[in-house]
Amino acid sequence: MIPYGRQEILECDVEAVVDVLRSDYITQGLMVPEFERQLAAHVGCRFGVAVNSATSALHIACLAMGVGPGDVVWTSPITFVASANCALYCGASVEFVDVDPLTGNMCPDALQRKLESAKKMGKLPKVIIPVHFAGQSCDMAALSGLARQFGSGVIEDASHAVGGRYQQKFIGSCEFSDITVFSFHPVKIITTGEGGMAVTNNPKIAEMMQLLRSHGVTRDPELMNRSPEGAWYYEQIALGFNYRMTDIQAALGRSQLGRLDHYVKARNALAGRYDNLLSDVNEVKPLYQDKKGYSAYHLYVILLDDAIKVHKSTLFDFFKSKGISINVHYKPVPTQPYYERLGFQGEDYPNSHQFYSRAISLPLYPSLETGDVEYIVNHLKEFIREL
Ligand SMILES: *Cc1c(COP(=O)(O)O)cnc(C)c1O
């Protein structure tokens, strides 16, 4: 079976993890701060705060931005549910901004219209969370310009996009945002098993996120309310969580980080091969790629035309019978039953609805072979011919 995505674990990754297991600290040793420093340096950002998932990173990122009851957070309907849930964890509410139908990324025009009407109603968002769908950066210059104009903060959900670039800089440089969040789930670009990181250039935000990931407890005398009573002394100064990453995970992350650029290059090469082979298939279109960016290609998504999209489920079964596993990203979050119960309606996001009905994700991961890409495209062509 060719999966739609998979991690690559090499012998050097295994050794890095085993070294930690044989050492004195399997959590809260030197590996986590090293991984934070290296990843932040790689993407060109000042501070990294590693946590046990991108979901946790989104939660503490929202809290560090001051999101709380009475606030509203806006995100994209075309994303994993975690991008929206983080607002609800903080007691805030969430709203959705429709996407560009060619990229699946938050649409700047839709954002502008929604901001203007929200301003009239006195209900501007505290934070906007654009999602870099499939690894391609949103138009951050446009989105962050609007956010600034209306006084909203920006958290980039770059769970798909570590190693990608926008305007020559790595996603995560935070030139256009307060915080950027990465995921290291095995299906993403690099992995720590489970894990995530929030990066920021703002020292206050970094300090707050560090506190929140570990119970709100500090050993830094500068942050304490009283002077330390001795070497054992710590203080809890906020209500935090245990969202810590282990040194075992960080060692794996450091080892994988060494291959990040290689992985993204391999993903781009395979995507280029797909693009080429599909260029004469009129019934499907790859996602539009903006020249301002360089996608990390977490996913290779194609959009099916009207004649084929109605057969999507048959296409899934057909691929399965050929040993190919494909996927769909994403059922719009407002159409999830939990969100429907909160009063959201899919029809309010027509582009997202269209996108969901057309999109499929073909297999893509660094160890996928060019021959596999040809095999997959040949079967797609066969399916279309036989319709
Ligand atoms: C995977 C993903 C998340 C959550 O990541 P975890 O590390 O699994 O918590 C959040 N947002 C998006 C867009 C994702 O794809």
Side-chain angles (χ1 to χ4, degrees):
M1 199 77 181
I2 302 175
Y4 90 91
R6 66 169 301 167
Q7 74 278 13
E8 182 187 77
I9 301 293
L10 300 184
E11 206 43 46
C12 58
D13 297 326
V14 174
E15 277 165 26
V17 168
V18 169
D19 284 348
V20 169
L21 288 171
R22 294 192 204 285
S23 75
D24 290 337
Y25 295 99
I26 59 174
T27 191
Q28 293 180 281
L30 295 175
M31 284 300 150
V32 169
E34 268 299 297
F35 181 43
E36 291 173 335
R37 197 185 56 70
Q38 288 175 348
L39 189 106
H42 191 95
V43 300
C45 197
R46 285 182 70 193
F47 307 101
V49 180
V51 286
N52 56 1
S53 71
T55 303
S56 303
L58 285 164
H59 183 193
I60 62 173
C62 284
L63 289 173
M65 293 297 293
V67 172
D71 291 326
V72 189
V73 171
W74 292 4
T75 189
S76 167
I78 298 295
T79 186
F80 185 57
V81 293
S83 320
N85 290 345
C86 58
L88 307 185
Y89 297 159
C90 302
S93 59
V94 70
E95 289 179 20
F96 300 91
V97 182
D98 210 358
V99 299
D100 177 319
L102 299 179
T103 62
N105 277 336
M106 186 183 282
C107 171
D109 292 337
L111 178 64
Q112 178 160 8
R113 282 194 299 273
K114 192 169 163 70
L115 282 167
E116 281 163 1
S117 87
K119 187 173 179 187
K120 287 194 199 111
M121 298 188 296
K123 241 182 83 185
L124 284 166
K126 180 96 174 178
V127 168
I128 300 168
I129 308 182
V131 180
H132 302 317
F133 179 73
Q136 169 168 228
S137 177
C138 295
D139 185 353
M140 287 310 298
L143 298 180
S144 88
L146 287 164
R148 203 164 300 151
Q149 186 188 332
F150 287 85
S152 302
V154 178
I155 300 170
E156 296 173 68
D157 184 343
S159 294
H160 297 185
V162 69
R165 280 176 250 154
Y166 174 72
Q167 294 185 350
Q168 323 304 335
K169 292 199 176 120
F170 276 111
I171 292 170
S173 75
C174 292
E175 186 180 341
F176 297 103
S177 63
D178 300 284
I179 304 169
T180 300
V181 166
F182 298 119
S183 171
F184 310 124
H185 183 276
V187 85
K188 307 286 166 72
I189 314 274
I190 56 172
T191 190
T192 59
E194 296 280 358
M197 199 183 297
V199 296
T200 180
N201 288 313
N202 182 321
K204 285 277 166 234
I205 289 175
E207 187 178 288
M208 192 60 187
M209 292 194 296
Q210 276 157 4
L211 265 179
L212 291 170
R213 87 165 146 196
S214 194
H215 309 283
V217 156
T218 184
R219 289 181 179 276
D220 180 354
E222 299 268 314
L223 298 179
M224 290 181 187
N225 290 18
R226 307 197 185 88
S227 44
E229 292 162 16
W232 68 86
Y233 192 77
Y234 62 80
E235 283 185 356
Q236 183 190 349
I237 58 171
L239 183 61
F241 310 88
N242 182 352
Y243 281 170
R244 290 189 303 262
M245 177 180 276
T246 66
D247 269 38
I248 304 168
Q249 294 167 306
L252 180 55
R254 282 184 67 203
S255 184
Q256 294 250 316
L257 178 57
R259 299 196 300 280
L260 173 60
D261 292 344
H262 160 73
Y263 282 158
V264 172
K265 220 166 132 186
R267 286 173 175 277
N268 271 271
L270 290 163
R273 189 74 191 126
Y274 270 124
D275 286 348
N276 250 314
L277 294 169
L278 289 170
S279 60
D280 61 349
V281 187
N282 297 324
E283 293 85 352
V284 307
K285 248 194 199 54
L287 288 190
Y288 171 77
Q289 297 294 318
D290 193 317
K291 299 290 168 291
K292 287 197 287 290
Y294 175 70
S295 178
Y297 269 111
H298 163 49
L299 302 170
Y300 188 80
V301 174
I302 56 173
L303 301 174
L304 310 176
D305 76 0
D306 288 336
I308 308 203
K309 71 176 197 190
V310 292
H311 302 289
K312 194 148 108 172
S313 157
T314 322
L315 178 61
F316 259 68
D317 298 340
F318 173 78
F319 267 130
K320 197 167 165 204
S321 74
K322 304 294 176 192
I324 302 161
S325 170
I326 61 175
N327 213 328
V328 172
H329 297 90
Y330 288 96
K331 176 173 159 68
V333 180
T335 69
Q336 293 291 351
Y338 177 81
Y339 279 88
E340 285 180 337
R341 284 206 297 280
L342 297 178
F344 291 97
Q345 289 182 323
E347 308 90 80
D348 293 339
Y349 315 94
N351 289 354
S352 298
H353 175 75
Q354 266 296 318
F355 193 87
Y356 171 55
S357 70
R358 292 181 186 283
I360 60 170
S361 304
L362 298 179
L364 182 64
Y365 46 92
S367 60
L368 185 72
E369 292 178 11
T370 327
D372 296 332
V373 173
E374 285 155 16
Y375 176 80
I376 293 160
V377 172
N378 285 340
H379 282 307
L380 179 64
K381 288 180 175 171
E382 181 191 332
F383 180 82
I384 293 170
R385 260 198 322 271
E386 286 173 6
L387 267 184

